[in-house]
Amino acid sequence: MKPALATVTLFFFLFAFSTKPSHVSASTGEPVVDISGEKLKAGESYYILSAVSGRGGLSFEDFGNDTCFHVVVQESSELSKGKPVKFLPLNSNDVNTSINLNVEFSDTIIGCPESGVWKITKRISEALNVGTNGVAGVGQNFVNWFMIEKAESEGAYKLKFCPNPETIVCQDLDIFFYGDDGKRYVGLANPGQFETLEVVFEKADVNDGDAEMSR
Ligand SMILES: *[C@@H]1O[C@H](CO)[C@@H](O)[C@H](O)[C@H]1NC(C)=O
Ligand SMILES: *[C@@H]1O[C@H](CO)[C@@H](O)[C@H](O)[C@H]1NC(C)=O
């Protein structure tokens, strides 16, 4: 498929259903729990690990020549937990499923003025990346809002891009590939061009850095 065609398809996929009401808004969800069974707390740091073995945690990396633009990737080694994030729910302190929240990397991005807040951004013609330099809080642009939902597998969760207000359909975040650079990019891709992302959460020690996996 030519990149230009893929782009058109993707934007159709994103915006075609913009008038469809979301079924999730009526639900208050249920508390999201970490791998120790503890409820996630707003503003505390967690690693987002793969629910499937053989993959690492979510992290950020430079993209292209711009050293101050970062995209979210999944580490390919199970030994790397990646970089911890904080969940910042909208209008609440409950990190529940089915509620809008901002996600922010806990580590500052050294040497760069950008924020660590996640947003949907276009960096690759075939897909939309999750990148950094978003803005957290009420009234901010729809590209900054995400959601956690239970996945099919027992104890696993999915991450969704879920705009607030929900005028655009929510979509699962998946892993996609770009050329043969071997990186596992997190974002929105056309159906059939991605690998499903299922995750679990592990509480991060504040001074942990890029810790080795302990399990
Ligand atoms: C989170 O879930 C709990 C349990 O279902 C519920 O009592 C609470 O109101 C929910 N919080 C929000 C903000 O929806
Ligand atoms: C990066 O910089 C090199 C050298 O200036 C250039 O040839 C290349 O096209 C640039 N790549 C991107 C993605 O901008």
Side-chain angles (χ1 to χ4, degrees):
M1 187 181 276
K2 283 195 263 173
L5 180 58
T7 306
V8 170
T9 315
L10 183 71
F11 279 96
F12 175 78
F13 188 49
L14 258 183
F15 297 110
F17 310 103
S18 59
T19 56
K20 190 176 150 189
S22 171
H23 68 283
V24 290
S25 53
S27 163
T28 56
E30 57 183 90
V32 176
V33 295
D34 67 15
I35 55 174
S36 307
E38 299 287 325
K39 289 179 192 173
L40 265 59
K41 294 197 185 82
E44 304 232 345
S45 293
Y46 297 90
Y47 293 107
I48 305 180
L49 305 178
S50 175
V52 181
S53 63
R55 302 291 173 206
L58 299 193
S59 187
F60 56 80
E61 284 207 15
D62 301 358
F63 186 81
N65 289 345
D66 186 352
T67 52
C68 276
F69 180 87
H70 293 82
V71 293
V72 180
V73 294
Q74 183 181 46
E75 299 278 1
S76 42
S77 165
E78 194 172 335
L79 295 178
S80 176
K81 291 184 185 183
K83 302 268 199 300
V85 301
K86 297 171 184 175
F87 297 102
L88 307 169
L90 175 65
N91 297 330
S92 161
N93 275 324
D94 299 337
V95 183
N96 279 13
T97 58
S98 307
I99 65 170
N100 276 111
L101 36 82
N102 295 123
V103 187
E104 180 177 20
F105 282 113
S106 308
D107 300 348
T108 51
I109 300 171
I110 296 164
C112 292
E114 73 191 89
S115 81
V117 177
W118 289 16
K119 71 172 183 189
I120 291 290
T121 182
K122 189 151 188 67
R123 247 358 219 197
I124 295 175
S125 59
E126 291 86 350
L128 294 171
N129 288 81
V130 178
T132 53
N133 210 21
V135 189
V138 178
Q140 295 300 338
N141 196 289
F142 72 90
V143 295
N144 302 288
W145 295 103
F146 297 88
M147 193 174 274
I148 302 170
E149 292 288 6
K150 287 182 124 173
E152 307 257 308
S153 325
E154 181 71 31
Y157 293 96
K158 280 172 158 303
L159 302 174
K160 288 174 118 66
F161 166 57
C162 205
N164 180 281
E166 292 165 23
T167 48
I168 299 170
V169 72
C170 300
Q171 259 184 273
D172 291 353
L173 299 185
D174 295 298
I175 299 294
F176 66 90
F177 304 92
Y178 180 59
D180 53 7
D181 69 4
K183 290 191 181 151
R184 303 175 58 77
Y185 295 100
V186 176
L188 308 171
N190 285 308
Q193 297 183 327
F194 54 75
E195 197 177 282
T196 302
L197 174 65
E198 289 196 359
V199 298
V200 293
F201 306 100
E202 183 186 317
K203 185 112 172 50
D205 195 331
V206 181
N207 302 311
D208 228 3
D210 265 309
E212 295 278 293
M213 291 289 262
S214 54
R215 46 179 200 141

